[in-house]
Amino acid sequence: MKYQEKHCWLCLLSLSLLLLFWLGHLIRDLLSPAGQSNGLRGYMRITPGKMDQVLHMHCSQCALVSSSGQMLGAGLGEEIDKVGCVIRMNNAPTQGYEKDVGNRTSIRVVSHTSVPLLVKNESYYFNQSAGTIYVFWGPERNMRQDGHGHTFNTLLKIAKKYANVKIYTVTREKIQYCDGVFQNETGKNRMKTGAFLSTGFFTMILAIDMCDSIHVYGMIDYNYCSRANHSVVPYHYYERNRLNECRMYHVHEHTQRGGHRFITEKAIYAKWATRHKMEFKHPSWSL
Ligand SMILES: *[C@@H]1O[C@H](CO)[C@@H](O)[C@H](O)[C@H]1NC(C)=O
Ligand SMILES: *[C@@H]1O[C@H](CO)[C@@H](O)[C@H](O)[C@H]1NC(C)=O
Ligand SMILES: *[C@@H]1O[C@H](CO)[C@@H](O)[C@H](O)[C@H]1NC(C)=O
Ligand SMILES: *[C@@H]1O[C@H](CO)[C@@H](O)[C@H](O)[C@H]1NC(C)=O
Ligand SMILES: *[C@@H]1O[C@H](CO)[C@@H](O)[C@H](O)[C@H]1NC(C)=O
């Protein structure tokens, strides 16, 4: 009897140890920012049925191609095309700009405000470019899944129409996480400063989540516009007649409500570049 009791006690002990071990793994997976082993939990596929597929994407090398006018005449297309995964933003075209920006797109990170631009050319983006993965971000009011989020509703329609399309959304939790990152890095509450994070910011976070090393093309550093000899280029390489890049950045940085803090965000990237394998090319950053 005594022996049996002791035996049972040992059984219980080893069972609880096993349980603890398992829980430990579970918690580690839940907490790990990239969640490498189980895919990227911050990005959920939009499917007509149940939405429970996370993004499975991992690249050893990524080219993050900005939409900046810096890309015009850069002649970097061939170099970019050689990189395993090419990340672009919003509706930035490749056709007609291959020499400067390359011709492949592995992932496109798209703002809710750019959705109408993609829908206008829907067969090009969602049927002909079926190999591209789309990651959409937007505020909760547009992305809610209860039938009242108009951006989400549009994307769901697309997902129903094009069976092969790979459309993901940045989850609400991930967006909150990004706000937390901004607040940690700047000491300022993103919402209280009246600013929105830019598509570039979400794209950087995604690149850190899925790439071992990142080559960033066409992004200027946070001091660039205050240098007397800075070059004057369009804000977007595919829109020639808008405010130039530095004027646009200046307006956004100082607007009271609804701006993007492009310059502040660049200062944050400079910090990240010291912790991640990240190289800024054209213009190159000296860190
Ligand atoms: C991209 O460009 C390369 C070389 O210029 C060419 O061989 C390839 O066919 C192009 N790919 C696409 C998808 O256009
Ligand atoms: C759709 O996009 C492609 C590639 O950028 C472009 O060649 C085509 O003219 C666009 N079509 C429309 C209707 O805008
Ligand atoms: C997508 O493209 C294929 C091949 O070009 C075409 O047969 C099909 O009808 C297109 N799908 C939609 C929904 O437009
Ligand atoms: C922000 O910083 C706090 C304190 O260092 C940390 O616990 C938290 O995880 C950070 N949040 C993000 C989103 O980085
Ligand atoms: C501006 O001048 C600095 C310092 O001389 C130089 O490093 C930089 O390349 C110049 N920038 C441009 C865009 O010409």
Side-chain angles (χ1 to χ4, degrees):
M1 193 65 194
K2 236 194 171 130
Y3 169 78
Q4 248 185 2
E5 247 172 47
K6 203 166 164 191
H7 188 72
C8 231
W9 191 80
L10 273 173
C11 261
L12 212 64
L13 185 71
S14 50
L15 209 71
S16 359
L17 277 176
L18 255 167
L19 198 71
L20 266 176
F21 184 71
W22 175 76
L23 266 176
H25 265 269
L26 200 73
I27 286 170
R28 196 202 56 193
D29 282 351
L30 280 174
L31 291 183
S32 89
Q36 299 284 357
S37 52
N38 291 309
L40 307 174
R41 290 166 187 279
Y43 313 91
M44 209 49 95
R45 183 156 179 188
I46 298 183
T47 50
K50 199 167 152 217
M51 288 199 23
D52 55 3
Q53 290 178 45
V54 301
L55 176 63
H56 286 268
M57 182 91 178
H58 177 250
C59 309
S60 58
Q61 303 256 352
C62 291
L64 194 165
V65 185
S66 93
S67 304
S68 160
Q70 300 286 342
M71 297 309 293
L72 284 170
L76 289 163
E78 216 175 303
E79 180 179 325
I80 289 167
D81 281 333
K82 282 192 200 136
V83 181
C85 296
V86 181
I87 309 171
R88 300 184 196 278
M89 289 177 243
N90 296 323
N91 60 324
T94 53
Q95 256 180 35
Y97 300 92
E98 292 90 342
K99 263 200 160 137
D100 290 332
V101 304
N103 63 9
R104 289 172 39 235
T105 306
S106 321
I107 287 212
R108 230 176 235 286
V109 181
V110 183
S111 145
H112 60 113
T113 53
S114 292
V115 170
L117 299 173
L118 268 61
V119 168
K120 242 199 233 162
N121 204 342
E122 152 186 332
S123 78
Y124 172 75
Y125 286 106
F126 302 117
N127 203 5
Q128 286 157 257
S129 316
T132 300
I133 291 172
Y134 291 87
V135 175
F136 291 90
W137 73 270
E140 177 64 8
R141 66 174 186 281
N142 293 342
M143 300 307 281
R144 51 198 285 182
Q145 297 171 20
D146 60 0
H148 296 289
H150 77 264
T151 303
F152 180 83
N153 294 348
T154 303
L155 297 173
L156 187 59
K157 251 190 233 156
I158 299 269
K160 280 182 182 154
K161 189 163 168 190
Y162 303 96
N164 295 323
V165 79
K166 295 187 207 80
I167 299 184
Y168 291 78
T169 73
V170 182
T171 63
R172 187 176 29 164
E173 293 74 23
K174 187 71 175 185
I175 288 186
Q176 281 164 2
Y177 166 83
C178 291
D179 279 337
V181 171
F182 184 86
Q183 178 149 358
N184 273 7
E185 298 286 6
T186 61
K188 286 181 196 147
N189 181 280
R190 195 267 310 159
M191 257 172 300
K192 281 189 193 144
T193 69
F196 292 116
L197 293 176
S198 74
T199 300
F201 196 87
F202 291 109
T203 307
M204 275 292 201
I205 296 265
L206 174 62
I208 289 171
D209 283 348
M210 67 174 217
C211 314
D212 293 338
S213 100
I214 309 164
H215 302 271
V216 183
Y217 289 93
M219 215 179 255
I220 58 176
D221 68 60
Y222 67 102
N223 270 327
Y224 187 89
C225 292
S226 50
R227 289 187 201 112
N229 64 345
H230 74 256
S231 46
V232 176
V233 300
Y235 171 58
H236 286 154
Y237 65 81
Y238 50 91
E239 292 170 332
R240 303 296 182 101
N241 298 315
R242 299 266 299 269
L243 278 184
N244 76 55
E245 179 172 59
C246 284
R247 298 253 334 256
M248 189 69 105
Y249 277 24
H250 184 83
V251 169
H252 271 276
E253 195 71 16
H254 301 285
T255 192
Q256 290 300 313
R257 294 217 65 81
H260 291 305
R261 303 299 184 234
F262 292 117
I263 297 173
T264 302
E265 289 181 5
K266 301 296 188 281
I268 298 176
Y269 306 158
K271 285 198 216 169
W272 291 348
T274 64
R275 307 198 288 260
H276 299 278
K277 273 184 97 174
M278 197 182 278
E279 195 183 333
F280 291 86
K281 301 184 165 192
H282 193 80
S284 66
W285 295 19
S286 51
L287 294 158

